[in-house]
Amino acid sequence: MMLENVNPKTAAKDLIEVENLVKYYPVKGGVLRRVVAQVKAVDDVSFTIKEGETLGLVGESGCGKSTIAHTMLGLIPHTSGSMKFNGQTVFSSSGGKITQQMRRNMQIVFQDPYASLDPRLPIGESIAEGLRIHKIGSNQQRFEMVMNVLKKVGMEDYHAMRYPHEFSGGQRQRIGIARALVLNPKFIVLDEPVSALDVSIQAQVLNILRDLQRQLGLTYLFVAHNLAVVEHISDRVAVMYLGKIVEITDRETLFRNPLHPYTQALMSAIPIPDPRMRRERIILQGDVPSPLNPPAGCRFHPRCPIAKEECSRVEPELRQLRPEHFVACHFAEQFVK
């Protein structure tokens, strides 16, 4: 009897299910400060993340990546849409606050490792703060938990008594990871966790994150704009443009054969570490439109090299062109290899 070779991450169940997520910011004007317009930061976004998987979320600055991450965790209220964690509703269109137990299962590592730490507290107390809020353990048990999690991120016991300003950027980001891990979550949002670090330190932090994922069975949403970093750590990648996901598939397929013109332009900007090789660069014309007044039809069509008249009228659906490869483009079939 032959056993089929199954990728455990592919066979895993969906831990996170986001459906039709919308986040608009009202713009007020006039003497009475009435709402006169809406900034469409995230506009009808749906995706899933499997248990033990890392989903990379990429795109230009201002496309809505961090807004999605913060909305998923309830750090900012959603406008509409729903999200499920392990089959349980986190929030729905009818609103409602995220429960404390749910918050314990979902944590975040912020982009700025210094601004996210209280400069007045020793880092041991900062890490233990979540344990106190959730009323986990006695003082001695919390101390032991903090020491244990510091070791997991490659730091020593005596570091717990030091203040944030006494650490380097890479060390502070390790502290941020320890603070997220101490509650033993299942899902962690990594909001550009290495963008403020030197390249050599980036590699160390990324390797720590991958080791922790294997050891603890963690699930990640990795928000970034550096495609080389995303390629290193992600299992699947979702590409965003102006509040919408335009392409989503596994990492290898995306980097080998991207189908959306915007994704192709992003890929063309990745440096090749060989001076004898050159990649044909795709230069997009014009600027990113404002989310306050996005273009009709396909939001990318004013800058798209293959746009046709239909693109300015009809908004493309995110449709499947290959197994587990979804693209929001009317004419993406021509790029399938």
Side-chain angles (χ1 to χ4, degrees):
M1 179 178 179
M2 295 184 63
L3 295 178
E4 187 177 355
N5 186 17
V6 178
N7 185 335
K9 291 185 178 179
T10 303
K13 66 177 182 179
D14 291 335
L15 182 71
I16 301 293
E17 300 171 69
V18 175
E19 293 185 7
N20 309 116
L21 182 62
V22 173
K23 176 59 185 175
Y24 290 171
Y25 291 97
V27 178
K28 298 181 179 180
V31 177
L32 300 178
R33 305 298 296 165
R34 292 175 176 169
V35 176
V36 295
Q38 299 277 0
V39 176
K40 298 178 180 180
V42 177
D43 197 4
D44 195 17
V45 167
S46 300
F47 59 88
T48 61
I49 310 176
K50 294 185 181 298
E51 198 169 13
E53 179 184 52
T54 300
L55 176 67
L57 190 60
V58 302
E60 294 172 286
S61 296
C63 70
K65 305 185 302 295
S66 293
T67 302
I68 285 181
H70 295 174
T71 304
M72 289 173 65
L73 298 182
L75 300 179
I76 55 177
H78 67 291
T79 302
S80 64
S82 64
M83 173 177 159
K84 291 182 179 180
F85 172 86
N86 202 20
Q88 297 182 337
T89 298
V90 177
F91 58 74
S92 63
S93 297
S94 58
K97 293 184 178 180
I98 297 177
T99 64
Q100 192 172 35
Q101 179 61 38
M102 199 67 76
R103 289 187 183 278
R104 180 178 170 182
N105 283 322
M106 303 188 298
Q107 292 294 304
I108 185 170
V109 177
F110 292 99
Q111 178 178 0
D112 188 337
Y114 189 70
S116 60
L117 295 171
D118 189 338
R120 300 167 298 179
L121 290 180
I123 63 107
E125 291 190 31
S126 289
I127 295 171
E129 194 168 13
L131 296 172
R132 290 195 296 271
I133 291 171
H134 289 269
K135 300 178 182 178
I136 298 173
S138 62
N139 287 337
Q140 180 60 32
Q141 289 171 329
R142 291 170 191 164
F143 173 80
E144 292 172 359
M145 290 178 191
V146 170
M147 295 302 108
N148 183 47
V149 79
L150 280 174
K151 285 185 170 61
K152 285 182 179 178
V153 298
M155 302 190 74
E156 302 297 333
D157 293 357
Y158 62 85
H159 287 139
M161 303 305 297
R162 294 184 178 179
Y163 289 83
H165 72 271
E166 300 180 72
F167 296 95
S168 66
Q171 288 176 317
R172 285 197 288 262
Q173 197 58 288
R174 292 186 189 205
I175 294 165
I177 295 169
R179 186 174 58 178
L181 285 176
V182 75
L183 290 172
N184 194 26
K186 294 181 180 179
F187 173 59
I188 298 180
V189 170
L190 304 166
D191 187 8
E192 304 205 32
V194 297
S195 63
L197 307 179
D198 293 337
V199 174
S200 59
I201 306 302
Q202 286 184 13
Q204 293 177 17
V205 173
L206 290 173
N207 288 333
I208 288 172
L209 290 170
R210 294 187 69 177
D211 291 342
L212 289 170
Q213 185 176 38
R214 285 192 290 264
Q215 294 169 18
L216 305 176
L218 297 170
T219 303
Y220 293 151
L221 174 66
F222 191 92
V223 178
H225 59 264
N226 187 330
L227 286 168
V229 170
V230 170
E231 184 179 15
H232 176 72
I233 197 169
S234 300
D235 298 301
R236 287 190 304 135
V237 182
V239 181
M240 283 195 71
Y241 182 80
L242 205 61
K244 286 186 174 291
I245 289 179
V246 297
E247 186 166 6
I248 182 168
T249 187
D250 66 272
R251 173 194 61 203
E252 293 182 3
T253 300
L254 189 80
F255 281 84
R256 183 180 67 249
N257 182 206
L259 300 183
H260 197 282
Y262 175 64
T263 311
Q264 293 170 357
L266 290 180
M267 296 295 179
S268 74
I270 301 175
I272 299 176
D274 187 339
R276 296 167 297 179
M277 297 180 63
R278 291 190 177 183
R279 180 182 278 120
E280 183 179 351
R281 183 70 193 276
I282 301 173
I283 306 296
L284 297 177
Q285 302 300 317
D287 297 322
V288 180
S290 170
L292 187 63
N293 186 26
C298 175
R299 297 189 174 187
F300 186 60
H301 86 263
R303 307 173 70 196
C304 182
I306 65 168
K308 298 181 182 180
E309 194 271 338
E310 179 185 357
C311 301
S312 62
R313 294 186 296 101
V314 182
E315 182 177 340
E317 295 182 357
L318 195 64
R319 56 199 176 96
Q320 183 170 328
L321 293 187
R322 288 189 295 210
E324 299 302 317
H325 193 164
F326 298 85
V327 187
C329 177
H330 293 302
F331 306 107
E333 285 89 348
Q334 62 185 291
F335 301 118
V336 176
K337 296 179 182 177

